[in-house]
Amino acid sequence: MSILVTGGAGYIGSHMVYELADAGERVVVLDNLSTGFDWAVGKDVPLTIGDTGDQNLVGKTIREYKIATTKTTPPTPGR
């Protein structure tokens, strides 16, 4: 089972992803890259580029990576 981190390519989210991965968790990132960067996600962490409002994409990601729980990071203020 994996943890889905939405907004995981941003400043706060990427740090959360690194901490979870360092703790031995399997992590998957969903981010639309509006304020995040693909290079901020670790090379061993799958990145799905898209919006959390895209129900089909979110459902596909949950099934594909067998997501057990999610962590949501706040959007960048003023963006």
Side-chain angles (χ1 to χ4, degrees), residues 9-20:
Y11 180 76
I12 295 170
S14 63
H15 286 279
M16 182 187 305
V17 169
Y18 283 116
E19 289 294 322
L20 289 166

Side-chain angles (χ1 to χ4, degrees), residues 1-70:
M1 297 301 225
S2 301
I3 298 172
L4 178 65
V5 178
T6 61
Y11 180 76
I12 295 170
S14 63
H15 286 279
M16 182 187 305
V17 169
Y18 283 116
E19 289 294 322
L20 289 166
D22 284 347
E25 299 291 346
R26 291 179 17 180
V27 183
V28 177
V29 170
L30 173 64
D31 199 299
N32 65 9
L33 301 181
S34 63
T35 60
F37 303 93
D38 57 356
W39 54 259
V41 179
K43 295 184 189 312
D44 296 331
V45 176
L47 169 63
T48 300
I49 299 172
D51 195 89
T52 57
D54 184 339
Q55 293 180 358
N56 291 328
L57 179 64
V58 173
K60 178 180 178 250
T61 303
I62 288 171
R63 288 187 302 277
E64 182 178 345
Y65 294 103
K66 299 178 176 57
I67 302 297
T69 190
T70 62

